[in-house]
Amino acid sequence: MDTVTAIETRRSVKHFDPQHRMSEQETDELMRLAMLSPTAFNIQHWRFVLVRDAALRERIRAVTWMQPQITDASLLIVLCADLDAWRKQPERYWRDVSPEVQEGVVQAIDTYYAGRGQVQRDEAMRSCGIAAQTLMLAAKAMGYDSCPMDLSDLDEVGKLINLPHDHVVAMFVAIGKGIREPWPRAGQLLASEVVVTDRFA
Ligand SMILES: Cc1cc2nc3c(=O)[nH]c(=O)nc-3n(C[C@H](O)[C@H](O)[C@H](O)COP(=O)(O)O)c2cc1C
């Protein structure tokens, strides 16, 4: 499937075939593609929690407005981020470049993030959002449907997945075989409202 078709046909699917199982190879391929998503300074701070335990899915669903995607999707991915990844041996994010380049980037990472908690968090959310879209488009290209989700008590979800203290939960992506047509698109805004040239009026 070409990229334009994947973008045009991806929809947020609410009902998945609960019997369908995704193979390990397909799951590995999805994760390989997700991990090619861009991150600032190549920090790769996303952490993808694949929730396979049915009982855990039920408990997550209970704090996620009882949405059926949580339990019925073939794959439920909780996208989290390590807020401190920027200072955890950052040289490994640049291990394949020359020592001079590596040293320069590591210094720049420290300069950019040190003492800037809001920037660290914003960056984590950006990265997870981009990775989520990669997952959804890759899933579409592999013949699957998906749903991005965040209507949830994310603090409770964090407790359920033993989220480390320096990580955040950004959102979920549910992936599987859709069994109902999505509703027609709800109401797309016009480009004249959302596309701005140079500066706001
Ligand atoms: C960050 C985010 C969170 C969302 N949370 C939910 C959710 O919890 N449940 C749900 O059914 N859809 C959720 N959606 C899907 C949106 O409702 C959907 O993307 C929007 O209505 C546009 O429809 P489309 O994705 O089919 O084009 C979410 C989407 C995003 C981007």
Side-chain angles (χ1 to χ4, degrees):
M1 183 181 287
D2 66 275
T3 309
V4 172
T5 306
I7 292 169
E8 287 178 339
T9 57
R10 180 218 56 80
R11 297 297 313 282
S12 295
V13 165
K14 321 283 181 187
H15 300 280
F16 293 97
D17 177 357
Q19 309 305 329
H20 179 268
R21 295 280 172 272
M22 195 176 282
S23 72
E24 285 301 312
Q25 289 90 331
E26 287 174 309
T27 306
D28 290 349
E29 178 65 356
L30 264 177
M31 300 321 301
R32 183 186 76 79
L33 294 169
M35 289 168 61
L36 294 176
S37 303
T39 52
F41 293 112
N42 200 36
I43 286 175
Q44 302 159 73
H45 38 190
W46 5 250
R47 302 293 177 258
F48 304 97
V49 179
L50 310 184
V51 185
R52 299 177 187 273
D53 178 349
L56 181 56
R57 290 238 208 151
E58 290 287 355
R59 295 182 72 189
I60 293 175
R61 182 176 177 175
V63 295
T64 309
W65 291 22
M66 289 308 288
Q67 297 188 75
Q69 302 96 310
I70 296 290
T71 45
D72 295 352
S74 308
L75 196 59
L76 177 68
I77 305 168
V78 185
L79 285 92
C80 310
D82 181 349
L83 294 173
D84 280 342
W86 63 275
R87 61 177 173 187
K88 292 178 178 169
Q89 298 173 284
E91 59 281 358
R92 66 203 161 105
Y93 314 131
W94 291 83
R95 65 173 171 231
D96 297 334
V97 301
S98 69
E100 299 75 37
V101 171
Q102 186 192 64
E103 193 180 327
V105 179
V106 167
Q107 182 58 56
I109 289 173
D110 189 72
T111 302
Y112 193 70
Y113 293 108
R116 302 178 77 202
Q118 183 70 49
V119 174
Q120 294 162 21
R121 190 182 168 90
D122 289 348
E123 208 80 284
M125 294 301 175
R126 277 181 205 112
S127 299
C128 286
I130 292 171
Q133 182 73 341
T134 303
L135 280 167
M136 292 187 284
L137 295 182
K140 195 76 215 174
M142 292 166 64
Y144 285 107
D145 296 299
S146 63
C147 191
M149 305 178 75
D150 69 357
L151 297 179
S152 178
D153 184 335
L154 295 180
D155 290 336
E156 283 303 312
V157 173
K159 288 179 199 159
L160 290 169
I161 62 169
N162 293 341
L163 189 75
H165 73 279
D166 53 0
H167 288 44
V168 284
V169 176
M171 61 188 290
F172 311 96
V173 176
I175 295 173
K177 285 285 178 197
I179 51 172
R180 279 196 214 165
E181 284 298 308
W183 298 323
R185 288 189 189 277
Q188 298 304 116
L189 297 179
L190 296 176
S192 56
E193 182 173 345
V194 299
V195 180
V196 176
T197 301
D198 293 333
R199 55 183 68 85
F200 287 90

